[in-house]
């Protein structure tokens, strides 16, 4: 028996977690890590390539954009927005989705029907269009980005979790808990929730990756944070106009999004493989 | 001539680089037209023999010594190609779970046709062959059956289809691995009879693997008792069961409740050692559990020694085996005029089925009335689908009755919150499958004291103390308190399951098939535990079971259910001695006779199974 729990022994989890933790630390310590103020314009040195390319300067390790702003600093500060959205939005969506899923799966009957149909209707809207519509209605800003993601993506949690809750609810130990005198609330929190938590964790980590992308899309179309706050989607939008002059400015934010989402997805996949009881049971058999 | 012969067959598993024998120096022989029974508890290596014949050993397992010959050819060293030609043609299998052995998306006809094609029946003869095969296993309307899918048939019918398929190639050897475990008693009797019939028709040799001693006694000519991968006893069935030479055989016999009269049970302590543990033992693997064990037993493994004509046993104390007897159990005096604690009147439960437009109703429990007295055990018997479990769920409150009334300890359960509280204080349920009934994420101490958690105000120290008391009462070691259910054996889990129900000190316990699927020695331990708890605590119980002998042992009165109705009820002794209803008679007739009676029973020559076979000779 190793001291490490099974889920920490998976290479996927270790890799995904390292990426996620690294980016979170970068976001957290952005003011100390960034070589420049992200909005500081050096108009004399615009479109600088990264330091290893010809004409690059060591003061701007990843070059500068059309206004002479340090790309590295903007990427580092952009991580703050990305991680904030990833964490807050996915937890928000998880809480709404999980609560409704547990209610629907546990009680069944008409309430299950009602929640199920609401999810169906909700999911029939294309998610990006729905979030754009919501953004138009709510107005721009970080808080509204998060709200839009929560309102769009809670259905993802609800649908997947509901079927899991349904399976667990049929186990005899849930019936036994009721017969012993557990209230519905206690039965759900003490008997069902511990069984659905692994799935919940997996879904949250996948949702974080999705939230990063949605935030990038929204800031790309200028509906997220204002122009003074650096965000990866915004950086892509800016660099798009000068794609032939300075392709680096496009490559770096895309690479950041790619790595972040990859980290979340590999983490989620690793957690699913190690925490999913059914999967591990069949492997053992 | 000898068809199948094992000589000092050894099958080993490799566990962490270490080779551990799973079957150890096993020798037996099987002739055409004979039935050899392999019996023993789970983990004894019974199924491993069948797997060794098919060379379908699990990964990491391999035959490492001795020989296993079929018609003179060694199966172990045989080319895979040659073995494939043999399997399904010369050697056929009847599986344990008929439903999972058939492909659910193909019709019966299609699957049978494929099988016939494989064994080389010409395509225009196949249909006739299928119909003839179905006819031989007494399947009604065989032509219609061909177009059916497996899920449209009952388990018994599926098993008959599989028997027809197994015998279609006129195999020389049929391996039946627990073929009736998943079936009801009455169907079990028919299936066993059918295998015997087919076996007699084609003079086939059958290897019958079972944990049920009665069934083995009914079907087999010869018996090989396995313990921890070793032969404990081997000989003709009537000698093995009539005068067992190995204490293990005797103990298993005594662990089975008798049908004829109520006697005490002998519960083997503990359980079979794990693979590695018995490999490390110097002496007899059974010695730690053996009531006759002496120091000599633990020093060297006992050799197989003759204890009768062609009857061998691996025990140095074989001569004294007959001395083993269950301790006399104080008879529970049936309360003559105890007050009624639970009364059900005209209980009916209907389930709606079908879609929105074709509403159909299915009556699971229909107009059932009975009374349970204080300190009385009442058994409910019937086949699957008879409404036994629904009745239990109605009484504990997991289902609401469509009609009828339940009265518990003088109070009508009318659906109000107070009435439900009242019911909860008096009635607790023990669920059938501890795997599902115990939350895998809670420790044992937390599970058994869940009622305290429900009541609120109990500190963890209080709960641990209570768990300690409960565990002692149900016979589990104190250190089990901090384990998770997955770390316990099946029997221990069922004890935990019982302990949780007892924690709230209920006056009525509802037990739904709580000893089915367990080994006979574990079953005996649990039955004795329930009887002891009843003497010490005094509670009433509704004991639901499909096993009549268990009900016979434990219950004062019995209700017989058929299609949702109670067709007969009365004192257990009376109902079993003189059943009044036709269905009760069928149920009782389906139970194989007690295994020890087989030597005393004269065998009719017309009896296909028990016909006197040629005398056994061992090579």
């Amino acid at each position: 028996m190793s001291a490490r729990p099974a889920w920490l022994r998976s290479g996927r989890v270790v890799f995904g977690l390292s990426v996620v933790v690294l980016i979170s630390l970068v976001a957290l310590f952005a003011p100390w890590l960034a070589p420049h103020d992200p909005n500081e314009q050096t108009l004399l040195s615009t479109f600088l390539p990264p330091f290893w390319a010809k004409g690059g300067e060591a003061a701007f390790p990843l070059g500068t954009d059309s206004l002479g702003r340090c790309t590295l600093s903007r990427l580092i500060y952009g991580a703050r927005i990305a991680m904030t959205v990833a964490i807050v939005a996915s937890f928000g969506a998880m809480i709404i989705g999980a609560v409704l899923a547990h209610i629907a799966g546990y009680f069944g009957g008409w309430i299950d029907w009602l929640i199920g149909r609401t999810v169906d209707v909700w999911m029939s809207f294309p998610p990006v269009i729905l979030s754009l519509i919501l953004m138009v209605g709510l107005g721009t800003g970080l808080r509204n980005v998060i709200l839009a993601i929560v309102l769009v993506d809670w259905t993802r949690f609800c649908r997947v979790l509901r079927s899991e809750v349904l399976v667990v609810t049929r186990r005899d130990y849930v019936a036994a808990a009721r017969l012993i005198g557990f209230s519905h609330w206690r039965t759900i929190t003490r008997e069902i929730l511990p069984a659905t938590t692994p799935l919940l964790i997996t879904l949250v980590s996948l949702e974080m990756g999705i939230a990063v992308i949605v935030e990038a899309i929204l800031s790309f179309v200028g509906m997220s944070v204002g122009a003074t706050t650096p965000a990866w989607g915004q950086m892509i939008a800016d660099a798009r106009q000068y794609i032939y002059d300075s392709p680096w400015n496009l490559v770096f934010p895309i690479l950041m999004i790619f790595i972040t989402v990859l980290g979340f997805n590999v983490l989620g996949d690793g957690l699913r493989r190690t925490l999913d009881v059914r999967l591990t049971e069949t492997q053992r058999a | 001539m000898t068809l199948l012969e094992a000589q000092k067959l050894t099958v080993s598993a490799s566990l962490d680089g270490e080779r551990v024998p799973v079957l150890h120096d096993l020798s037996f022989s099987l002739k055409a037209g004979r039935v050899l029974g392999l019996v023993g508890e789970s983990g004894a290596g019974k199924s491993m023999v069948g797997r060794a014949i098919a060379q379908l050993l699990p990964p990491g397992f391999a035959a490492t010594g001795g020989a296993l010959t079929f018609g003179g050819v060694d199966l172990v060293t045989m080319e895979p190609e040659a073995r494939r030609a043999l399997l399904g043609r010369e050697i056929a299998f009847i599986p344990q779970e008929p439903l999972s052995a058939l492909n659910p998306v193909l019709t019966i006809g299609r699957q049978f046709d494929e099988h016939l094609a494989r064994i080389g029946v010409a395509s225009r003869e196949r249909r006739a062959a299928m119909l003839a095969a179905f006819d031989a296993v007494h399947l009604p309307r065989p032509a219609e059956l061909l177009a059916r899918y497996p899920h449209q048939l009952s388990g018994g019918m599926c098993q008959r289809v599989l028997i027809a398929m197994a015998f279609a190639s006129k195999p020389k050897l049929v391996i039946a691995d627990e073929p009736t475990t998943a079936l009801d008693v009455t169907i079990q009797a028919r299936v066993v009879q059918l295998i015997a019939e087919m076996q007699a028709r084609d003079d086939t040799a059958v290897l019958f693997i079972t944990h049920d001693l009665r069934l083995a006694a009914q079907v087999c000519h010869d018996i090989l008792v396995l313990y921890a991968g070793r032969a404990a006893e081997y000989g003709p069935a009537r000698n093995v069961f009539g005068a067992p030479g190995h204490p293990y055989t005797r103990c298993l016999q005594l662990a089975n409740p008798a049908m004829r009269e109520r006697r005490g049970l002998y519960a083997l302590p503990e359980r079979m050692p794990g693979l590695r543990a018995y490999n490390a033992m110097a002496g007899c693997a059974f010695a730690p559990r053996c009531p006759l064990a002496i120091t000599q037993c633990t020093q060297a493994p006992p050799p197989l020694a003759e204890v009768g004509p062609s009857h061998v046993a691996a025990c140095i104390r074989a001569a004294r085996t007959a001395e083993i007897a269950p301790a006399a159990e104080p008879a529970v005096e049936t309360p003559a005029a105890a007050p009624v604690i639970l009364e059900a009147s005209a209980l009916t439960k209907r389930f709606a089925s079908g879609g929105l437009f074709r509403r159909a109703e299915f009556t699971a429990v229909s107009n059932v009335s009975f009374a349970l007295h204080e300190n009385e055990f009442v058994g409910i018997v019937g086949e699957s689908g008879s409404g036994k479990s629904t009745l239990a769920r109605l009484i504990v409150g997991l289902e609401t009755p469509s009609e009828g009334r339940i009265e518990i300890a003088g109070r009508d359960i009318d659906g109000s919150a107070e009435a439900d509280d009242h019911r909860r204080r008096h009635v607790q349920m023990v669920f059938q499958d501890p795997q599902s009934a115990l939350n895998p994420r809670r420790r044992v101490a937390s599970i058994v004291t869940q009622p305290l958690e429900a009541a609120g105000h109990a500190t963890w120290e209080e709960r641990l103390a209570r768990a300690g008391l409960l565990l002692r009462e149900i016979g589990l070691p104190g250190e089990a308190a901090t384990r998770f259910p997955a770390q316990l054996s099946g029997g221990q889990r069922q004890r935990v399951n019982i302990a949780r129900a007892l924690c709230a000190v209920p006056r009525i316990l509802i037990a739904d098939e709580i000893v089915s699927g367990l080994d006979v020695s574990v079953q005996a331990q649990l039955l004795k535990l329930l009887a002891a708890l009843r003497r010490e605590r005094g509670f009433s119980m509704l004991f639901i079971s499909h096993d009549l002998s268990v009900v016979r042992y434990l219950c004062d009165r019995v209700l017989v259910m058929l299609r949702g109705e109670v067709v007969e009820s009365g004192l257990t002794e009376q109902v079993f001695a003189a059943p009044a209803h036709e269905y009760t008679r069928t149920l009782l007739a389906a139970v194989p006779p007690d295994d020890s009676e087989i030597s005393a029973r004269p065998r009719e020559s017309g009896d296909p199974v028990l016909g006197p076979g040629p005398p056994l000779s061992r090579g």
Side-chain angles (χ1 to χ4, degrees):
Chain A
M1 283 277 257
S2 165
R4 283 194 295 176
W7 59 272
L8 253 180
R9 268 176 273 156
S10 143
R12 287 165 205 269
V13 175
V14 172
F15 171 79
L17 207 59
S18 316
V19 171
V20 169
V21 167
L22 194 72
I23 293 173
S24 307
L25 288 177
V26 166
L28 209 59
F29 297 106
W32 290 275
L33 289 172
H36 299 269
D37 183 291
N39 291 322
E40 181 192 302
Q41 302 181 0
T42 318
L43 290 171
L44 287 176
S45 43
T46 56
F47 297 126
L48 281 181
F51 72 92
W52 63 83
K54 200 176 152 226
E57 283 180 23
F60 301 99
L62 295 182
T64 56
D65 66 1
S66 59
L67 294 172
R69 293 176 294 194
C70 172
T71 305
L72 179 64
S73 306
R74 290 180 70 74
L75 285 177
I76 289 173
Y77 274 89
R80 298 192 131 187
I81 302 296
M83 294 313 275
T84 310
V85 171
I87 291 166
V88 179
S90 51
F91 271 91
M94 182 264 277
I95 289 165
I96 296 181
V99 167
L100 290 175
H102 280 82
I103 291 173
Y106 179 77
F107 291 103
W110 65 267
I111 189 137
D112 183 26
W113 184 90
L114 190 72
I115 292 172
R117 294 300 84 76
T118 311
V119 170
D120 286 344
V121 171
W122 214 274
M123 284 186 112
S124 63
F125 290 107
V128 175
I129 308 286
L130 183 59
S131 48
L132 285 177
I133 293 170
L134 281 170
M135 288 308 294
V136 170
L138 297 166
T140 58
L142 188 60
R143 194 181 300 171
N144 291 340
V145 170
I146 290 171
L147 196 61
I149 294 175
V150 169
L151 288 179
V152 171
D153 276 351
W154 65 271
T155 51
R156 221 186 283 269
F157 285 90
C158 193
R159 175 164 288 191
V160 178
L161 274 173
R162 177 191 160 268
S163 51
E164 183 73 10
V165 173
L166 223 53
V167 171
V168 178
T169 304
R170 293 212 186 103
R171 302 294 296 268
D172 282 342
Y173 66 77
V174 175
R178 288 291 298 145
L179 288 183
I180 276 166
F182 272 33
S183 62
H184 289 304
W185 167 251
R186 205 190 275 262
T187 308
I188 292 175
T189 52
R190 299 278 174 84
E191 306 290 319
I192 296 175
L193 195 60
T196 52
T197 303
L199 182 63
L200 210 62
I201 293 171
T202 307
L203 286 176
V204 165
S205 100
L206 293 174
E207 176 63 27
M208 285 181 177
I210 294 168
V212 168
I213 292 180
V214 173
E215 191 279 326
I217 293 172
L218 290 177
S219 62
F220 179 80
V221 297
M223 291 188 130
S224 177
V225 287
T228 52
T229 320
W232 295 340
Q234 220 172 42
M235 290 174 73
I236 297 174
D238 289 346
R240 187 180 47 114
Q241 303 165 39
Y242 311 105
I243 184 166
Y244 299 110
D245 306 312
S246 170
W248 294 111
N249 280 328
L250 197 63
V251 169
F252 288 123
I254 290 176
L255 206 62
M256 279 310 291
I257 294 173
F258 173 78
I259 291 171
T260 313
V261 174
L262 183 77
F264 281 126
N265 283 359
V266 171
L267 174 65
D269 189 42
L271 288 173
R272 183 182 61 81
R273 281 162 190 262
T274 43
L275 295 180
D276 191 326
V277 184
R278 276 162 299 175
L279 211 65
T280 46
E281 266 173 10
T282 45
Q283 276 169 354
R284 265 184 233 125
Chain B
M1 57 159 262
T2 303
L3 187 66
L4 179 74
E5 186 164 28
Q7 272 179 329
K8 294 204 169 290
L9 175 69
T10 300
V11 172
S12 309
S14 105
L15 286 177
D16 304 328
E18 197 185 337
R19 296 215 70 85
V20 180
V22 181
L23 292 177
H24 192 83
D25 278 354
L26 202 62
S27 301
F28 61 85
S29 67
L30 177 59
K31 293 177 190 230
R34 303 277 292 186
V35 182
L36 171 65
L38 285 181
V39 299
E41 288 169 280
S42 48
K46 304 187 296 287
S47 296
M48 218 40 83
V49 177
R51 281 165 163 257
I53 292 168
Q55 283 292 300
L56 283 174
L57 293 167
F61 286 64
T64 48
L68 182 65
T69 57
F70 175 77
V73 197
D74 194 349
L75 286 167
V76 177
T77 53
M78 189 182 260
E79 291 292 314
E81 203 58 43
R83 189 182 310 117
R84 261 204 294 283
L86 218 55
L87 297 180
R89 283 185 200 125
E90 307 264 286
I91 304 176
F93 292 83
I94 301 173
Q96 177 168 8
E97 300 234 351
L99 266 172
S100 56
L102 289 166
N103 187 336
V105 298
L106 299 180
T107 60
I108 299 289
R110 176 81 190 281
Q111 297 184 52
F112 204 161
D113 192 70
E114 271 175 11
H115 178 63
L116 289 177
R118 199 180 96 73
I119 61 176
V121 178
S123 57
R124 54 182 193 288
E125 290 163 20
R126 281 184 217 150
R127 195 177 156 82
M130 287 191 266
L131 296 181
F134 283 161
D135 206 43
V137 296
H138 312 298
L139 276 167
R141 292 191 295 278
E144 279 173 42
L145 207 60
L146 292 177
R148 294 286 181 86
Y149 288 91
H151 71 265
Q152 294 171 310
L153 308 181
S154 67
M157 280 172 97
C158 281
Q159 194 59 294
R160 276 194 267 177
V161 167
L162 285 162
I163 292 171
M165 283 168 78
F167 280 93
S169 56
K170 298 236 180 326
K172 294 204 177 85
L173 172 67
V174 168
I175 297 164
D177 190 351
E178 305 266 9
T180 59
T181 315
L183 303 174
D184 269 324
V185 201
T186 49
I187 297 160
Q188 170 179 317
R190 256 177 272 154
V191 166
V192 166
Q193 199 186 359
L194 191 65
I195 295 177
E197 224 177 282
M198 301 296 284
Q199 178 263 336
R201 187 190 73 177
D202 299 342
D203 213 25
T204 318
V206 175
L207 191 64
F208 195 86
I209 301 169
T210 181
H211 69 279
D212 188 339
L213 255 60
R214 289 167 205 277
L215 208 58
Q218 192 189 19
V219 180
C220 304
H221 299 109
D222 305 314
I223 296 290
L224 174 60
V225 183
L226 283 179
Y227 187 80
R230 281 149 231 244
E233 185 163 9
Y234 178 45
R238 67 176 74 185
N239 301 1
V240 171
F241 290 128
H246 199 284
Y248 181 54
T249 318
R250 174 87 178 146
C251 290
L252 283 185
Q253 274 185 314
L254 292 174
N256 246 330
M259 277 301 282
R260 299 287 167 257
E261 19 93 83
R262 192 182 180 283
R263 59 156 165 77
L265 295 184
Y266 186 85
L268 270 173
E270 309 290 321
R271 56 190 175 124
M272 201 180 290
L275 279 182
R276 224 188 289 258
Y278 65 69
N279 199 37
M281 275 179 209
C284 174
F286 184 59
R289 300 170 77 190
C290 182
L292 297 178
I294 49 175
T295 28
Q296 246 172 301
C297 292
T298 57
Q299 282 155 2
L304 276 173
E306 198 99 352
V307 291
S310 57
H311 178 188
V312 290
C315 183
I316 52 173
R317 309 263 289 163
R320 304 190 57 185
T321 297
E323 289 171 19
I324 303 173
E329 287 171 28
V332 184
E333 50 292 4
T334 314
V340 171
I341 190 156
L342 167 73
E343 189 167 15
S345 14
L347 270 188
T348 299
K349 177 67 186 176
R350 282 183 289 269
F351 290 107
S353 61
L356 209 55
F357 302 106
R358 281 182 50 215
R359 280 264 168 202
E361 270 196 344
F362 164 72
T363 309
V365 172
S366 153
N367 201 19
V368 169
S369 303
F370 68 89
L372 180 66
H373 299 86
E374 265 185 54
N375 201 17
E376 182 188 41
F377 279 21
V378 170
I380 302 180
V381 298
E383 288 172 67
S384 47
S386 61
K388 309 188 296 285
S389 292
T390 310
L391 182 61
R393 294 173 73 86
L394 284 174
I395 289 165
V396 296
L398 288 172
E399 302 280 356
T400 328
S402 311
E403 275 163 43
R405 233 164 45 84
I406 300 171
E407 200 180 296
I408 292 166
R411 179 169 179 155
D412 188 28
I413 305 302
D414 50 12
S416 67
E418 296 79 51
D420 282 345
D421 271 348
H422 176 81
R423 160 151 68 188
R424 204 169 290 138
R425 275 197 305 279
H426 286 86
V427 187
Q428 276 302 324
M429 179 156 179
V430 186
F431 288 87
Q432 172 174 9
D433 176 16
Q435 187 91 27
S436 159
L438 304 180
N439 189 338
R441 287 169 189 82
R442 281 175 181 267
R443 291 180 193 275
V444 168
S446 161
I447 290 172
V448 297
T449 55
Q450 246 179 307
L452 299 185
E453 186 180 330
H457 58 264
T459 65
W460 182 238
E461 283 70 36
E462 283 167 21
R463 290 180 67 180
L464 265 181
R466 181 64 171 279
L469 291 177
L470 278 165
L471 290 182
R472 192 169 326 137
E473 201 173 0
I474 54 142
L476 278 183
E479 63 261 27
T482 52
R483 304 251 175 88
F484 287 102
Q487 295 167 299
L488 304 177
S489 72
Q492 289 175 323
R493 265 181 245 163
Q494 199 57 282
R495 282 170 194 260
V496 172
N497 208 1
I498 293 171
R500 172 176 55 189
L502 290 175
C503 180
V505 203
R507 289 166 76 189
I508 307 167
L509 218 52
I510 315 284
D512 188 1
E513 297 275 12
I514 60 170
V515 295
S516 63
L518 296 171
D519 266 320
V520 52
S521 58
V522 178
Q523 174 182 300
Q525 289 167 10
L526 284 173
L527 290 177
K528 282 176 75 99
L529 172 70
L530 286 172
L533 285 171
R534 176 188 187 181
R535 283 193 297 273
E536 285 155 22
R537 286 191 160 214
F539 56 89
S540 313
M541 179 154 77
L542 265 189
F543 187 84
I544 294 163
S545 180
H546 68 278
D547 188 337
L548 293 155
S549 62
V550 167
V551 169
R552 174 85 179 75
Y553 171 78
L554 205 59
C555 300
D556 311 308
R557 281 195 302 131
V558 61
L559 304 177
V560 183
M561 284 189 75
L562 173 66
R563 283 185 227 107
E565 287 175 57
V566 172
V567 293
E568 182 162 2
S569 68
L571 293 174
T572 312
E573 308 273 334
Q574 282 168 16
V575 172
F576 278 45
H581 194 273
E582 183 58 37
Y583 179 68
T584 316
R585 278 195 286 275
T586 318
L587 270 183
L588 282 168
V591 180
D594 290 347
D595 47 48
S596 53
E597 286 175 16
I598 117 163
S599 59
R601 209 156 47 100
R603 293 179 181 179
E604 302 127 50
S605 55
D607 186 344
V609 197
L610 304 170
L616 177 92
S617 71
R618 284 178 20 85

